[in-house]
Amino acid sequence: MNMRDLWRCGCIIACAAAVPSCKSAERAAVGSAATPHARDVVITTVPLLTKELAQTYPFLKTDFAKGGVLDGKEVYEFMPSTITVGEGDTLRFTFINPEDDQHSFVMRDLSVSLPGQSVTHATYVARQAGIFDFVCSVPAHLPMMRGQLVVLRPERVTP
């Protein structure tokens, strides 16, 4: 047997030894589930394009005018707009609304009023895995002011 054949045999033996340990590690990862956690989540309402900015951005005068692309609307966002948690997690929301417009945070099983210039707290338990939309229900802020709560199954959450 030459050196090349010895090297090939060594590689085959090493791979054969590694395969069973890979499978057992995979089984352990699939079988384990993360423990639900309490998570603090801070969401801020952020004005992006509002009528007050028309002096700063002259193009907004046309956009907010009757028939303009923002007629009857203003553009705000939730920051962050995507929240990812594990199934069973308890979310302790803190909503910060630093400006004077009223907002809301509405999603399945939760509706919170967010008065202007206020900090509001709410608690929510993510009972079911899935992707859940949330919005501000003020008509002038739809459809732009929205986001998603992504709830992962326990086996998908890294401990």
Side-chain angles (χ1 to χ4, degrees), residues 44-50 52-53 75-77 97-99 103:
T44 304
T45 61
V46 179
L48 299 177
L49 298 174
T50 62
E52 292 84 0
L53 290 172
V75 181
Y76 293 89
E77 74 172 349
N97 183 3
E99 40 96 38
H103 294 287

Side-chain angles (χ1 to χ4, degrees), residues 84-88 126 128-130 150-158:
T84 303
V85 301
E87 188 175 37
Q128 180 181 1
V150 178
V151 182
L152 302 175
R153 292 189 317 251
E155 63 271 13
R156 298 289 185 201
V157 176
T158 304

Side-chain angles (χ1 to χ4, degrees), residues 22 37 47 63 68 106 116 122 131 133 145 149 153 156:
C22 288
H37 291 88
D63 292 344
V106 179
I131 299 173
D133 292 331
M145 195 169 184
L149 172 66
R153 292 189 317 251
R156 298 289 185 201

Side-chain angles (χ1 to χ4, degrees), residues 23-98:
K23 286 186 177 180
S24 63
E26 181 182 307
R27 258 185 256 114
V30 169
S32 65
T35 304
H37 291 88
R39 301 182 187 272
D40 294 316
V41 179
V42 177
I43 297 179
T44 304
T45 61
V46 179
L48 299 177
L49 298 174
T50 62
K51 293 175 182 143
E52 292 84 0
L53 290 172
Q55 296 296 348
T56 306
Y57 303 110
F59 65 88
L60 288 176
K61 289 178 187 168
T62 304
D63 292 344
F64 285 122
K66 190 83 169 147
V69 295
L70 293 174
D71 181 14
K73 301 285 184 188
E74 289 190 299
V75 181
Y76 293 89
E77 74 172 349
F78 291 111
M79 186 71 116
S81 61
T82 302
I83 305 157
T84 303
V85 301
E87 188 175 37
D89 284 357
T90 298
L91 310 180
R92 295 182 301 232
F93 284 112
T94 299
F95 298 99
I96 301 171
N97 183 3

